[in-house]
Amino acid sequence: MGEDSDSRARHVAIIMDGNGRWARQRGLPRAMGHRRGVEAVRNLVRSVKGLGIECLTLYAFSSENWKRPEDEVSDLMQLMRRFIRSDLPEFVANDVRLKIIGDYKALAPDIVEMLENALERTSKGSHVLAVALNYGSQQEIARAATAAAAAGEINAETIAAHLDTADLPPLDLLIRTSGEVRLSNFLLWQCAYAEMIFTEVLWPDFTPDHLRRALDQFSARERRYGGR
Ligand code: IPE
Ligand code: IPE
Ligand code: MG
């Protein structure tokens, strides 16, 4: 089972959770967990082309994560700057097209500038890496509904057409690491018929092999979309 193209996932999204617990288990500062989390992202991005996924969407910073202590927020922003600077050439080399979902323009001006430069430099890539930054799904839906209303009609199609993900394939599979079983304001609309996998693995320990196994599980599932 799972070899025909219909059963293969085109769009996979991941709630990358558990960096803090990973660090705590080792008596390390949280910042170290986030740093190792970035390494897990790097390894995964390198594997995307080989796994044949069209789009990988990663939840990197939620609109609610601003509630964390200032030093943790600034650590995360600093990691973001470093990651873009160091990995952009690799994105280009690996045929990755960066996309940002969420209200990223509210981030620090230098980060916005780096992101926009990265979007431009990767615009020819064919494998989409969508990064959710300052992302909240309820806010995204409210923005999309407002835009749909302004364009004349609110219905499921017009709202979907104004979501940040409008140009991405439908979401096939959502994965959350670290054992939490909730969506935390991520892709609420897009999850309508997504398959879900919750794993105990903490994000810094998540490898391309874990993703490969999740994709195999996905391929073995029967999707019905309400039919029979
Ligand atoms: C996920 O790890 C990273 C972000 C939310 C930015 P956490 O920092 O939430 O790790 P836990 O949940 O405290 O273990
Ligand atoms: C969700 O994880 C956000 C990201 C992974 C970026 P959180 O750790 O912020 O979620 P809660 O607080 O456990 O719901
Ligand atoms: Mg968490």
Side-chain angles (χ1 to χ4, degrees), residues 21-222:
R21 278 162 284 170
W22 184 93
R24 200 178 51 216
Q25 283 176 3
R26 289 163 178 75
L28 297 169
R30 286 184 75 84
M32 199 57 78
H34 292 315
R35 211 186 290 176
R36 294 294 293 265
V38 172
E39 282 172 32
V41 171
R42 181 173 291 133
N43 287 332
L44 209 61
V45 174
R46 286 177 179 155
S47 77
V48 161
K49 204 172 168 178
L51 291 171
I53 307 167
E54 282 173 51
C55 177
L56 178 68
T57 299
L58 300 177
Y59 203 6
F61 193 86
S62 77
S63 45
E64 289 72 34
N65 286 148
W66 297 109
K67 293 181 200 160
R68 296 189 179 202
E70 214 178 293
D71 62 335
E72 182 173 358
V73 171
S74 80
D75 262 354
L76 288 166
M77 295 299 155
Q78 197 52 33
L79 278 173
M80 190 115 62
R81 289 185 178 91
R82 255 188 267 151
F83 179 60
I84 301 164
R85 207 169 289 138
S86 61
D87 285 49
L88 184 56
E90 222 184 281
F91 285 4
V92 177
N94 283 319
D95 203 20
V96 166
R97 174 156 62 91
L98 185 69
K99 179 180 168 77
I100 311 292
I101 62 171
D103 187 11
Y104 75 92
K105 292 193 178 169
L107 299 177
D110 70 302
I111 297 185
V112 175
E113 197 184 317
M114 287 176 88
L115 289 171
E116 288 179 343
N117 169 56
L119 292 172
E120 199 180 307
R121 283 191 46 201
T122 61
S123 63
K124 301 276 187 294
S126 45
H127 298 272
V128 176
L129 173 68
V131 182
L133 289 175
N134 192 20
Y135 177 88
S137 184
Q138 292 177 334
Q139 296 87 325
E140 177 197 29
I141 293 168
R143 282 198 303 274
T146 305
E153 197 182 354
I154 303 186
N155 58 45
E157 283 71 36
T158 60
I159 290 175
H162 286 96
L163 292 171
D164 297 355
T165 54
D167 56 340
L168 302 179
L171 182 62
D172 292 311
L173 174 62
L174 177 94
I175 300 169
R176 183 171 187 147
T177 59
S178 88
E180 308 295 351
V181 185
R182 55 175 171 263
L183 293 178
S184 301
N185 205 13
F186 190 49
L187 302 178
L188 305 179
W189 181 286
Q190 295 85 345
C191 277
Y193 273 102
E195 295 295 322
M196 297 186 185
I197 292 179
F198 297 92
T199 168
E200 298 290 327
V201 176
L202 301 175
W203 177 251
D205 293 327
F206 193 86
T207 63
D209 207 49
H210 288 110
L211 178 57
R212 189 169 301 115
R213 274 179 266 162
L215 291 170
D216 287 346
Q217 277 185 54
F218 169 86
S219 295
R221 289 191 188 179
E222 183 195 358

